[in-house]
């Protein structure tokens, strides 16, 4: 019978042979790994019975030691095994002690770190509290100094205005033809002072005094604090009716708080009278503002 008749059979045979060749080469290259047998432990024992001795009698005479030799060597083997096992136990104990010592040391280091962190946080807190107290004390001292400066400035302003009013009164309120409101033929445009009975207040708590100029127009200014009390402002008005100067806190003032003096001055500056070419330049008068809480 003839094989490999067709071309396909021939190709199949070639492929099969090639695959087998590759597998054989792989077996040589890769192959199986052979390991050496494990080392034997213990002590080699010679039980005798060697054929190297001469004659039959000596061989028979050597037979009794073969029976007693194992009995003598078995305890030695056990002792050697126990001796070999003893260092391992000691090593295990030493290793456990080392691990415990390392663990204790780590715990001590961790406790020390936590204690240091607590001490540092406590020190930082104390330093922060100290800084806050110092800043608060500095702020209080600055505020006290500012209030003292304001009070001194107000006192100086009030004293200066009082002296000016006294000098003005001595010059304008005399008898005869002086420029004041005295008896005789006084000037109708003379200086007006708070308390002389002219325009000292109306429905909204704002009064004025300016002889011979009629009723003014003004704009109300709201205070920035919650204070109440009367503030009198000395004003100087030009011939066009405009207030060119305003000094708050003059005689008659009941509350000299800085948060009332400034809005009173601003309100006085908003006053506007009718123009009068016959009026003096400037004409002196006053504006009184009676502040209420929240106004």
């Amino acid at each position: 019978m003839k094989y490999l008749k067709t071309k396909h059979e021939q190709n199949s045979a070639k492929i099969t042979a090639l695959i087998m060749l590759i597998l054989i080469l792989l077996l040589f290259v890769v192959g199986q790994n052979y390991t050496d047998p494990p080392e034997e432990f213990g002590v080699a024992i010679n039980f005798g019975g060697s054929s190297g001795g001469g004659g039959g009698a000596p061989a028979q005479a050597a037979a009794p030691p073969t029976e007693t030799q194992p009995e003598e060597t078995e305890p030695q083997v056990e002792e050697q095994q126990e001796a070999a096992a003893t260092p391992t136990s000691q090593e295990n104990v030493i290793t456990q002690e080392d691990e415990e010592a390392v663990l204790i040391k780590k715990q001590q280091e961790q406790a020390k770190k936590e204690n240091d962190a607590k001490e540092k946080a406590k020190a930082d807190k104390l330093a922060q509290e100290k800084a806050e107290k110092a800043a608060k004390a500095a702020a209080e001292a600055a505020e006290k100094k500012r209030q003292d400066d304001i009070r001194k400035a107000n006192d100086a302003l009030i004293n200066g205005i009082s002296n000016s009013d006294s000098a003005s009164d001595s010059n304008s309120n005399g008898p005869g033809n002086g420029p004041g409101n005295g008896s005789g033929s006084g000037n109708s445009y003379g200086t007006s002072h708070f308390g002389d009975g002219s325009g000292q207040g109306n429905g909204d708590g704002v009064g004025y005094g300016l002889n011979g100029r009629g009723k003014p127009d003004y704009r109300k200014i709201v205070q920035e604090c919650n204070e109440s009390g009367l503030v009198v402002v000395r004003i100087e008005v030009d011939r066009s009716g405009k207030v060119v100067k305003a000094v708050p806190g003059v005689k008659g003032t009941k509350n000299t708080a800085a948060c009332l003096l400034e809005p009173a001055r601003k309100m006085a500056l908003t006053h506007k009278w009718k123009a009068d070419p016959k009026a003096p330049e400037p004409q002196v008068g006053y504006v009184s503002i009676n502040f209420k809480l929240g106004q």
Side-chain angles (χ1 to χ4, degrees):
M1 184 175 63
K2 187 178 180 179
Y3 297 98
L4 306 177
K5 295 180 180 180
T6 64
K7 184 179 181 180
H8 296 292
E9 291 178 350
Q10 295 174 359
N11 293 333
S12 299
K14 291 178 181 179
I15 294 172
T16 302
L18 181 61
I19 292 173
M20 293 296 294
L21 181 61
I22 293 171
L23 291 176
I24 291 171
L25 292 175
L26 288 174
L27 289 175
F28 281 104
V29 174
V30 179
Q32 295 182 353
N33 295 327
Y34 294 95
T35 59
D36 295 334
E39 296 180 359
E40 295 181 357
F41 297 95
V43 180
I45 303 173
N46 185 7
F47 292 100
S50 174
S51 59
Q60 292 178 357
T66 58
E67 295 178 356
T68 60
Q69 187 68 23
E71 294 179 358
E72 294 178 357
T73 57
E74 286 180 359
Q76 294 178 358
V77 173
E78 293 179 357
E79 291 177 358
Q80 291 177 357
Q81 292 178 353
E82 291 178 358
T86 302
T88 305
S89 301
Q90 293 178 355
E91 291 178 356
N92 292 334
V93 172
I94 294 173
T95 304
Q96 291 178 358
E97 291 178 353
D98 292 340
E99 291 178 353
E100 291 178 356
V102 171
L103 181 60
I104 293 172
K105 185 176 181 181
K106 289 182 178 179
Q107 291 177 353
Q108 291 177 350
E109 291 178 353
Q110 184 67 22
K112 184 179 179 181
K113 289 181 179 179
E114 293 178 355
N115 190 20
D116 293 341
K118 290 181 181 179
E119 293 294 334
K120 185 176 182 301
K122 186 176 180 180
D124 293 341
K125 185 177 180 181
L126 292 175
Q128 183 179 3
E129 291 178 354
K130 186 176 180 180
E132 290 177 354
K133 289 181 180 179
K136 184 177 180 181
E140 291 178 353
E143 180 64 19
K144 183 178 180 181
K145 184 176 182 301
R146 189 180 70 84
Q147 294 293 339
D148 292 341
D149 292 341
I150 293 174
R151 184 171 61 255
K152 291 179 180 178
N154 291 336
D155 293 341
L157 179 64
I158 292 172
N159 292 333
I161 294 172
S162 299
N163 295 333
S164 176
D165 288 343
S166 299
S168 176
D169 290 342
S170 63
N171 294 329
S172 61
N173 293 333
N177 297 325
N181 296 331
S183 59
S185 57
N187 189 354
S188 60
Y189 296 103
T191 301
S192 300
H193 298 281
F194 180 76
D196 61 3
S198 57
Q200 295 182 13
N202 50 28
D204 57 2
V206 181
Y208 64 91
L210 195 65
N211 291 330
R213 303 296 290 269
K215 186 177 180 181
D217 296 326
Y218 61 90
R219 181 168 57 89
K220 191 172 183 180
I221 304 297
V222 180
Q223 61 170 315
E224 296 180 357
C225 59
N226 193 20
E227 293 280 349
S228 63
L230 178 65
V231 178
V232 181
V233 185
R234 182 179 183 274
I235 59 173
E236 294 181 5
V237 183
D238 59 11
R239 290 175 180 173
S240 65
K242 181 181 178 181
V243 178
V244 296
K245 185 177 180 181
V247 181
V250 298
K251 185 177 180 180
T253 300
K254 301 299 182 181
N255 191 340
T256 58
C259 59
L260 295 183
L261 296 178
E262 183 61 20
R265 186 185 70 83
K266 292 180 179 180
M267 189 182 297
L269 290 173
T270 64
H271 281 63
K272 178 71 175 179
W273 277 268
K274 293 180 181 180
D276 189 348
K278 298 180 180 180
E281 184 75 22
Q283 183 179 358
V284 179
Y286 71 91
V287 173
S288 63
I289 302 99
N290 191 12
F291 288 98
K292 297 181 180 180
L293 293 177
Q295 295 183 352

